[in-house]
């Protein structure tokens, strides 16, 4: 099929961080990839009219509305792209699916397992009439991550024994950082856990092909009261200078957990917004019986690979520069060595979504895949609440200031 065969008219709800990232991807996808359908950026929705009008103009949307229901019900829309906080994912997705619209919904799919189940059931019903639904775990679409999955699937790592995943940020270390929506359970579902922990859960399940079967977790909220925000409540929010007071942080600041995967691997996960100095540090290492592989988002064009089947004298981690046309997604971009960045993962996400819709196939991660992630988030919260934490008695020698054991002589 040529790239002009059909038109997909997209309506996007929310135009801030993810709205901007998705807009860039929708704008770019047909310019880079030869796809069986063309995207038209038809309508963007936000609640504040002057702001959404400005955003439509800046981000390249044909029109705007202040009511997401109008967008969802419009005959001029084929795809609904949900870029709002988690408290509205369910309502918008259910209405869109009921109206026969294909849905791309940002992660985490919902704020609760019950909502995620309802959305997954609605997606399954809509599928019977050809409607597609996908959740936006964009890191799957980083070429080095997709290559990592291929190496595992091809058996190059052998039997997977360890999965070690961290996602570290530091944007709320300052206790004066305001109480934005991401710090409110009713709006965000959970804190670092659902926001960034969800990414490493999805990524590791995707790469290994194994599902998390159980967890043992600790979560912590280090700063429990924060100033109320002024105006915008995104990642760049500022505290209200008018002394409107403070509010309670109702989500975790950090979550650490160990897990078992259904293929027999042991996994460790750490998701935190308190890793001082770490801005957006996502790192995954996988150790198998035949090799190991490491991905680090700060070097997203690279993959470290150790092939343990090579002669011992020649073994060592090698750095694969993932920019070859043979690598996932990269034949459409630049010559080898001409690197890509964060935003390309969203263009790849749109590529896969448009291709699936246009060819009547199921995009992944499906809502069912995202429900599986939601079940892990829920298990982590339940495990942390149950505090199945083995205390260590203080019976040994106390450690003195110089770090040496210093009990009575
Ligand atoms: N895939 C990723 O890497 C990634 C990164 C950041 C955020 N996210 C996810 O994207 C979603 C949005 O996060 P964000 O960082 O863009 O948030 P944000 O605060 O920057 O933007 C949220 C947008 O939603 C709008 N909005 C909120 N309620 C609305 C409503 N009822 N009707 C219309 N518009 C509404 C806001 O006005 C704003 O434009 C969340 O689910 C988040 O978890 C994903």
């Amino acid at each position: 099929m040529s790239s002009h065969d059909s038109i997909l008219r997209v309506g996007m709800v929310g135009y801030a961080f993810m709205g901007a990232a998705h807009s860039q991807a929708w704008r770019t996808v047909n310019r880079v990839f030869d796809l069986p359908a063309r995207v038209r950026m038809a309508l963007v929705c936000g609640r504040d009219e002057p702001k959404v009008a400005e955003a439509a103009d800046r981000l390249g949307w044909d029109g705007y509305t202040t009511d997401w229901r109008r967008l969802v019900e419009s005959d001029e829309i084929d795809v609904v792209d949900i870029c709002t906080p988690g408290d509205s994912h369910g309502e918008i997705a259910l209405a869109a699916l009921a109206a026969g619209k294909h849905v791309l919904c940002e992660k985490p799919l919902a704020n609760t397992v019950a909502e995620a189940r309802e959305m997954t059931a609605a997606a399954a019903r809509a599928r019977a009439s050809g409607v597609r639904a996908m959740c936006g775990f964009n890191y799957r679409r980083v070429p080095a991550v997709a290559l990592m999955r291929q190496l595992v699937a091809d058996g190059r790592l052998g039997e997977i024994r360890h999965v070690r995943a961290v996602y570290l940020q530091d944007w709320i270390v300052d206790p004066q950082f305001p109480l934005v929506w991401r710090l409110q359970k009713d709006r965000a579902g959970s804190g670092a856990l659902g926001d960034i922990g969800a990414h490493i859960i999805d990524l590791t399940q995707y790469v290994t092909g194994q599902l998390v079967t159980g967890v043992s977790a600790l979560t912590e909220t280090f700063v429990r009261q924060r100033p109320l925000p002024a105006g915008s409540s995104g990642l760049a929010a500022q505290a209200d200078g008018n002394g409107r007071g403070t509010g309670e942080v109702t989500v975790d600041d950090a979550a650490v957990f160990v897990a078992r995967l259904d293929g027999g691997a042991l996994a460790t996960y750490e998701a935190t917004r308190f890793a001082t100095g770490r801005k957006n540090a996502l790192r995954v290492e996988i150790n198998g019986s035949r090799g190991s592989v490491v991905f680090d988002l700060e070097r997203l064009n690279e993959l470290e690979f150790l092939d343990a089947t090579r002669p011992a004298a020649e073994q060592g981690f090698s750095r694969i520069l993932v920019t070859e046309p043979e690598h996932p997604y990269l034949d459409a971009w630049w010559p080898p060595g001409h690197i890509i960045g964060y935003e390309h993962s969203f263009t790849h996400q749109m590529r896969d979504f448009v291709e699936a819709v246009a060819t009547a196939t199921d995009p992944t991660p499906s809502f069912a895949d995202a429900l599986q992630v939601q079940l892990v988030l829920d298990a982590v919260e339940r495990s942390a609440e149950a505090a199945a934490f083995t205390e260590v008695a203080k019976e040994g020698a106390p450690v003195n200031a110089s770090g040496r054991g210093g009990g009575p002589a």
Side-chain angles (χ1 to χ4, degrees), residues 15-18 47 84-85 89 106-107 138 181-182 199:
Y15 56 80
F17 180 21
M18 275 308 101
R47 292 158 299 177
T84 58
H89 289 184
E106 259 305 338
K107 50 50 61 180
N138 59 302
W181 69 262
R182 279 184 162 81
H199 273 301

Side-chain angles (χ1 to χ4, degrees), residues 20-187:
H22 284 215
S23 297
Q24 174 144 329
W26 288 125
R27 269 199 315 270
T28 310
V29 70
N30 287 117
R31 298 179 189 169
V32 176
F33 293 102
D34 188 19
L35 292 170
R38 280 198 84 72
V39 168
R40 181 176 299 154
M41 295 168 68
L43 207 52
V44 61
C45 171
R47 292 158 299 177
D48 181 306
E49 182 155 3
K51 285 187 183 164
V52 71
E54 184 278 325
D57 187 46
R58 177 170 44 87
L59 299 173
W61 295 86
D62 292 345
Y64 65 84
T65 173
T66 53
D67 180 1
W68 64 260
R69 288 185 190 282
R70 246 205 74 215
L71 180 148
V72 159
E73 284 155 18
S74 167
D75 292 337
E76 312 286 305
I77 294 296
D78 306 302
V79 171
V80 174
D81 180 11
I82 303 172
C83 293
T84 58
D87 60 343
S88 50
H89 289 184
E91 204 181 8
I92 300 171
L94 292 176
L97 292 167
K101 308 295 157 72
H102 308 289
V103 175
L104 170 60
C105 181
E106 259 305 338
K107 50 50 61 180
L109 185 61
N111 278 1
T112 64
V113 167
E115 276 174 352
R117 281 197 183 113
E118 202 181 343
M119 293 164 78
T120 304
R125 282 195 302 277
R127 184 181 178 278
S129 40
V131 170
R132 312 285 156 187
M134 185 173 108
C135 187
F137 283 108
N138 59 302
Y139 290 124
R140 287 182 175 214
R141 268 85 191 189
V142 173
V145 171
L147 177 63
M148 205 174 181
R149 174 179 159 93
Q150 276 178 15
L151 289 171
V152 173
D154 291 348
R156 299 294 301 278
L157 267 70
E159 201 174 316
I160 305 300
R161 303 274 166 62
H162 286 292
V163 173
R164 209 165 290 113
V166 300
Y167 198 158
L168 315 173
Q169 298 183 339
D170 74 346
W171 55 280
I172 56 171
V173 166
D174 180 356
Q176 291 307 310
F177 188 91
L179 188 71
V180 297
W181 69 262
R182 279 184 162 81
L183 307 183
Q184 299 164 29
K185 191 168 179 62
D186 58 336
R187 304 224 52 211

